[in-house]
DNA sequence: ATATTAATTTACCAATCGGTACATATAAAC
DNA sequence: GTTTATATGTACCGATTGGTAAATTAATAT
């Protein structure tokens, strides 16, 4: 069993090992690597840039993470479980409207947050690439597809709960929301502000399909008003 | 005056030159280069891949186009004047609704056309990059900004012509349409079909703001129905 | 024919790419 | 202490990166 595999199956478990202990914090180094990949994409991040940011040298990186490609996959896992965990939270909102409202509003915040590199790593990490990165490109595409599937399933549930009109297609709504989300990522990378993204979100929410309930229109959602 | 500069100012002008004539077609080679850059992005396209596709060797490429970066800039110009010239045509449609309808409908076709690499080169050519490509990244960002400005100006004209409600912001609408467009590009690269993109476009058009004209609602635009 | 001009081919450049061999350093186990 | 196991630093690997020097080839001008 190689060293980085041992690390993978023993995250944060304190086991007395013999041999020289690592001189760096595994999780912290992974965060530094995430920042580099997030900023420059997979191919745009050189081993030199990664090791410099992580504060370790190449043999240590190989021992602990197994090379550039495996490091990137571990970074993606951490990214999904950390910075974009809000997506899973949004999906558990009680209504489809609230799901989209929370998802896109938090995305507008997330994509333009000062501490974060602009844009989403899963969307932009390897949209285009050379001949050596097709597997990474494929991996990220699969992640985006899984995200869209999650949205679709949530909207199917919403329709079953009479929370979406019966003539609305969950798959089509999911692709619509994913398209908006991905466009917002490109916009953030291009310099769009949080306020500008929130205006886009507001327009999406203003026309979000809701079922007409009898009587007063009290269930009509509030229109999100944002500061430009 | 270097050779590639001579080429730049003498496009398609037949002048008897002395010296050995080029063995390749300038414009055709540029098209081949466009296809490579379009498929793999700026950094993902190596000189080896470019020269192989163009059917020339490196010194010829340097002589005719001035290096990788200048070649890419020339490719972008050709891309704007050729494959995506439909954008300019869309802007001259008579109403804002028709502008967006034509722009996004043709984009759905364009982004998924069998003969084209998936996605838009200006959007995805250098969204993320390493340390040597920031200038190209900046150039493409400026192109996207110019595109959005064009949309905004068109919507300003539309509002002046009472073709958009007075309380709609042209800048906000432009960013909204650009966000949709850029999201569609990511979707196309991820494998979305023309029909799926047209469904997204249909949803955008269904809620496009139009001025309420007196009397019957005859001026209400037809909803675009697409085949999935 | 000869000179001139320019595009071709071949071979090469230094720098960087991701990845490793190897010796050394540092811990626990005995 | 000695042994064993792991991490570190240095120095290196072949391959590829974008870019050229120099010789050759092919055209026109005289």
């Amino acid at each position: 069993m190689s060293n980085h595999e041992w690390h993978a199956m023993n995250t944060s478990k304190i086991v007395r090992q013999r041999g020289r202990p690592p001189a760096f914090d595994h999780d912290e180094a992974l965060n530094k690597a995430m920042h580099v990949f997030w900023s420059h994409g997979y191919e745009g991040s050189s081993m030199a840039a990664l090791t410099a940011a992580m504060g370790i040298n190449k043999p240590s990186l190989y021992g602990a993470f197994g090379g550039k490609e495996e490091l990137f996959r571990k970074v993606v896992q951490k990214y999904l479980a950390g910075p974009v965990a809000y997506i899973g939270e949004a999906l558990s909102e009680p209504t489809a409207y609230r799901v989209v409202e929370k998802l896109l509003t938090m995305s507008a915040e997330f994509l333009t947050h000062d501490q974060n590199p602009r844009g989403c790593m899963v969307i932009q990490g390897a949209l285009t690439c050379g001949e050596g990165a097709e597997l990474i490109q494929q991996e990220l595409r699969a992640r985006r597809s899984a995200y869209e599937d999650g949205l679709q399933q949530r909207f199917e549930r919403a329709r079953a709960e009479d929370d979406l009109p019966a003539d609305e297609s969950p798959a089509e709504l999911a692709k619509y929301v994913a398209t908006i989300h991905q466009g917002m990522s490109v916009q953030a990378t291009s310099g769009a502000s949080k306020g500008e993204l929130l205006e886009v979100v507001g327009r999406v929410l203003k026309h979000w399909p809701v079922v007409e309930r009898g009587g007063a229109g009290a269930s009509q959602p509030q229109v999100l008003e944002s500061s430009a």
Side-chain angles (χ1 to χ4, degrees), chain A:
Chain A
M1 176 165 53
S2 72
N3 183 22
H4 73 272
E5 286 168 332
W6 182 91
H7 269 289
M9 63 186 300
N10 285 278
T11 50
S12 74
K13 189 181 299 183
I14 298 176
V15 178
R16 266 283 168 265
Q17 279 296 121
R18 51 182 187 175
R20 180 173 177 172
F24 65 96
D25 184 71
H26 191 87
D27 215 55
E28 194 174 331
L30 210 50
N31 273 328
K32 301 289 191 181
M34 186 194 301
H35 194 277
V36 175
F37 279 131
W38 194 348
S39 299
H40 301 108
Y42 176 71
E43 282 188 316
S45 303
S46 67
M47 290 294 290
L50 288 166
T51 53
M54 299 166 81
I56 63 180
N57 39 35
K58 282 192 280 182
S60 295
L61 191 154
Y62 273 80
F65 303 102
K68 187 184 180 183
E69 192 167 322
E70 291 196 55
L71 171 62
F72 183 76
R73 292 182 197 275
K74 290 183 170 66
V75 162
V76 169
Q77 282 185 262
K78 191 174 181 58
Y79 178 79
L80 294 176
V84 298
Y86 71 88
I87 292 179
E89 300 171 19
L91 289 178
S92 56
E93 286 287 308
T95 68
Y97 179 91
R98 297 267 299 270
V99 165
V100 175
E101 179 184 43
K102 180 159 188 177
L103 174 69
L104 294 185
T105 302
M106 294 192 73
S107 291
E109 159 69 28
F110 168 75
L111 292 169
T112 61
H113 191 56
D114 279 348
Q115 309 295 331
N116 295 343
R118 290 305 185 93
C120 168
M121 191 178 70
V122 170
I123 296 173
Q124 297 165 354
L127 253 192
T128 64
C129 66
E131 292 191 351
E134 287 96 347
L135 286 178
I136 294 297
Q137 188 181 36
Q138 198 173 344
E139 149 117 20
L140 292 186
R141 176 157 50 183
R143 299 286 186 182
R144 293 193 296 272
S145 179
Y147 160 69
E148 202 173 304
D149 287 349
L151 270 178
Q152 177 177 343
Q153 286 170 24
R154 182 62 187 81
F155 293 152
E156 281 166 356
R157 183 190 127 194
R159 205 170 55 171
E161 292 172 346
D162 206 28
D163 172 36
L164 273 176
D167 62 344
E168 290 285 352
S169 158
E172 193 224 303
L173 284 171
K175 196 163 286 289
Y176 172 69
V177 172
T179 301
I180 296 283
H181 193 165
Q182 288 155 5
M184 284 169 60
S185 179
V186 174
Q187 283 285 331
T189 305
S190 306
S193 70
K194 173 178 157 186
E196 289 169 329
L197 295 187
L198 285 176
E199 286 182 342
V200 172
V201 174
R203 184 168 294 274
V204 170
L205 293 176
K206 187 163 66 178
H207 298 116
W208 186 258
V210 290
V211 292
E212 290 298 332
R213 302 198 185 280
S219 72
Q220 197 73 8
Q222 202 73 8
V223 170
L224 182 147
E225 195 59 49
S226 61
S227 59

